[in-house]
Amino acid sequence: MNDKQTTQEKIFNRYYRIFIIPMIFLLYYLLSYLVNPYSKYWSLTTTRSWDDLLAEGVVMMLICWLITELSLISARLMDKWIPWERWPVRRFITQVCYQIILVFILLKVVMIILTFIFGPPPERGDSGPEKLDEWQFVFVCVMLSILISAVHTGNYFLQRWKTSMLEAAALKLNAAELQQIAMQAELQSLKLQLDPHFMFNNFSTLSALIQEDKNTALAFLENLSRVYRYMIINLNNDIITLREELKFIQAYTYLIQIRHGENVDIQTDIPEEIITRGIPPITLQLLIENAIKHNVASAAQPLHIHIYLNGEGKLTVSNNVQRIASNMPSTKLGLQNIRNRYRLLSDLSTEIKEENGSFLVMLPLLDF
């Protein structure tokens, strides 16, 4: 328990006593009257002097205070020895019996002290009504003690519930933070998967160009630098605007034209009103590279790649299917990368299908 909790508990206990002791004092007389409204005590009250009534009130307030303190002390001790969570039935029986014994001992001690201070009380005889009044007094005190313990127990459970709710909320918050950290780490890992394959292909092309055409090699290197700079800048960005991605694709398309010439035809058809929407960075580049990797692209069989907005409002990348004959099965790493990034960034999912000789990847646009 920290210092703040300890201070709050002390403040609560102080005001708790200020409230509960007068309430117990009033409840004593209320319960006494309800238990036996025809007691001779009530009829004699109007004939007694104010000094007697005041003295009795002080003594009863003292008794109520002692009952309150002893009941709270015993309840706290039992919270340690016989906690409700482990032995509820044993705790209930033990606490009730303990309260009864405690009240009997307390009242006996109080009577001895009062006799020592004020002298023995006047003889009242052994008549039934008088004995009934004495037992009524003891019974009401026992009930008050049990009531105080019940209030303490209710407050105990309320505080435990409050603490458990705060702990659950803290654990939930920590779990959410850890999940967010894990998601960011996974997202960074997915982004880094793009670099090796992309750079290997383009450096191979650049190496060949240097030997054949230095001017074209310089232009290729300049566009490659722009593309790679874009990838580095956006490595830490989860979402970018479609406008930025399309500018990147323009530079990337130049690299593709140098590598494949007219064998690969890339067309974009994007309405102006959606270019401020979001998309995971380097997604279009990955889809274009994936289409080229798995399909024949030649003068006789050119590969047509089309980027457009479909009727459902999704950004769509399509290509004609003319797969390369290979014994090596596709790992589908690129498509899985895109799926995972969308899964981490939103509740929206990508849709991939093949129909009428075309392979389509439909990407939902994201909001910032």
Side-chain angles (χ1 to χ4, degrees), residues 190-213:
L190 292 170
K191 289 176 182 177
L192 291 173
Q193 290 177 9
L194 306 177
D195 295 351
H197 183 259
F198 170 75
M199 296 307 298
F200 175 80
N201 287 336
N202 284 285
F203 279 133
S204 297
T205 302
L206 179 62
S207 177
L209 283 175
I210 291 174
Q211 298 177 3
E212 299 174 1
D213 187 343

Side-chain angles (χ1 to χ4, degrees), residues 242 274-275 277-279 309 313-315 342 348 363-367:
L242 186 55
I274 69 165
I275 61 174
R277 299 289 299 280
I279 186 175
L309 188 71
K314 291 185 176 182
L315 185 65
Y342 268 95
L348 304 174
L363 309 170
L365 295 173
L366 305 176
D367 295 319

Side-chain angles (χ1 to χ4, degrees), residues 184 187-188 191 234 236-240 279-281 341 345:
Q184 291 296 329
L187 190 58
Q188 289 297 99
K191 289 176 182 177
N234 289 286
N236 293 322
N237 294 330
D238 297 334
I239 304 175
I240 61 169
I279 186 175
R341 285 203 283 168
L345 293 171

Side-chain angles (χ1 to χ4, degrees), residues 194 198 227 231 245 248-249 252 282-290:
L194 306 177
F198 170 75
V227 168
M231 296 173 68
E245 183 79 353
F248 161 69
I249 290 301
Y252 180 71
I282 320 173
T283 299
L284 295 181
Q285 178 266 334
L286 189 59
L287 290 175
I288 293 173
E289 191 73 19
N290 189 72

Side-chain angles (χ1 to χ4, degrees), residues 75 78-96 149-150 152-154 156-157 160:
M78 288 192 182
D79 287 340
K80 299 178 181 179
W81 299 338
I82 313 176
W84 285 101
E85 296 86 349
R86 297 183 61 184
W87 302 294
V89 177
R90 185 189 302 180
R91 169 63 182 272
F92 174 77
I93 297 173
T94 304
Q95 185 157 330
V96 171
S149 298
H152 170 79
T153 300
Y156 170 80
F157 280 117
R160 289 297 298 270

Side-chain angles (χ1 to χ4, degrees), residues 183 186 190 336 338-349:
M183 287 172 61
E186 184 177 354
L190 292 170
Q336 190 61 42
I338 294 173
R339 281 198 185 101
N340 288 340
R341 285 203 283 168
Y342 268 95
R343 174 178 57 83
L344 294 172
L345 293 171
S346 72
D347 295 330
L348 304 174
S349 60

Side-chain angles (χ1 to χ4, degrees), residues 140-160:
V140 171
C141 290
V142 170
M143 293 300 297
L144 289 176
S145 178
I146 294 174
L147 176 62
I148 294 168
S149 298
V151 172
H152 170 79
T153 300
N155 178 68
Y156 170 80
F157 280 117
L158 180 62
Q159 294 300 322
R160 289 297 298 270

